[in-house]
Amino acid sequence: MTPEMASLLQQHLSGAPAGDTLAQLVGDDPELAAIAQLLSRREQQLEAQLREEELEEERPLDIPLAAEDDRVELLRDQVASFADDVTRIRDTLELVSAALGACPTCLGADDVCALCHGRGVPGSLPPDPVAFDQIVMPAVRAHAFTRSRTGRGLDQENPKTETPDWSTP
Ligand SMILES: [Zn+2]
């Protein structure tokens, strides 16, 4: 390595622009001059790229910080609401499955249920007496009443019972 090359390398490693030293090293050699020109162009490209990346990092977010906070708050509320829904549905399913003596996860409707593999249909387990009285008995009484009035059971094709409106609390 010539002292000029060593100096150039040292300059390059220190991060200083190598233009002047490179020009000295190239001298009058046309081949070296072409390579030096390519190197110089590449250096400029890399510097421009670096500036661009720095600018991108500094660019403020499109969303103002306060609006983002609001969105995070909204998402948090939605997650909490979903969690409440899941808890409520789980509690209901637990009560109904206990009343029916069925799988508390799927009521026997899921062949790939980890708990029952689809075998936990209603009546597959002894029903819980308290849950049975709370959930099943009112339905049995209503069913018996309907049968006594119509003289026949609930007709699946043409039910005689009115569908209650559960949309209002
Ligand atoms: Zn199951």
Side-chain angles (χ1 to χ4, degrees):
M1 187 181 289
T2 65
E4 290 88 355
M5 284 173 75
S7 161
L8 183 65
L9 186 62
Q10 205 172 17
Q11 206 167 343
H12 178 69
L13 290 174
S14 73
D20 293 346
T21 319
L22 201 58
Q24 285 168 17
L25 184 65
V26 168
D28 295 330
D29 190 323
E31 275 182 39
L32 279 181
I35 293 171
Q37 204 178 355
L38 283 174
L39 282 173
S40 172
R41 202 175 300 158
R42 184 68 188 132
E43 192 181 21
Q44 283 169 7
Q45 280 176 352
L46 288 172
E47 274 174 10
Q49 198 179 328
L50 195 65
R51 273 197 301 273
E52 216 169 276
E53 282 171 9
E54 280 171 356
L55 278 177
E56 262 176 37
E57 279 173 17
E58 286 169 12
R59 190 186 301 160
L61 292 171
D62 291 342
I63 313 156
L65 207 57
E68 199 180 6
D69 282 350
D70 287 349
R71 280 174 47 178
V72 168
E73 191 66 28
L74 189 69
L75 279 174
R76 231 176 242 150
D77 288 350
Q78 283 178 340
V79 168
S81 169
F82 289 147
D84 287 348
D85 285 348
V86 169
T87 303
R88 200 164 27 78
I89 290 166
R90 218 177 251 163
D91 289 349
T92 303
L93 185 59
E94 198 175 309
L95 180 67
V96 170
S97 64
L100 296 176
C103 170
T105 301
C106 75
L107 300 179
D110 184 2
D111 287 344
V112 293
C113 172
L115 211 57
C116 76
H117 305 284
R119 292 192 297 261
V121 293
S124 60
L125 295 166
D128 176 79
V130 176
F132 187 88
D133 285 348
Q134 186 184 343
I135 300 292
V136 179
M137 281 316 289
V140 169
R141 278 193 286 272
H143 181 57
F145 179 71
T146 306
R147 280 175 75 170
S148 71
R149 276 181 50 183
T150 59
R152 52 198 268 198
L154 280 175
D155 188 346
Q156 294 294 330
E157 298 292 321
N158 184 23
K160 299 292 178 194
T161 51
E162 283 179 28
T163 306
D165 180 14
W166 287 331
S167 59
T168 51

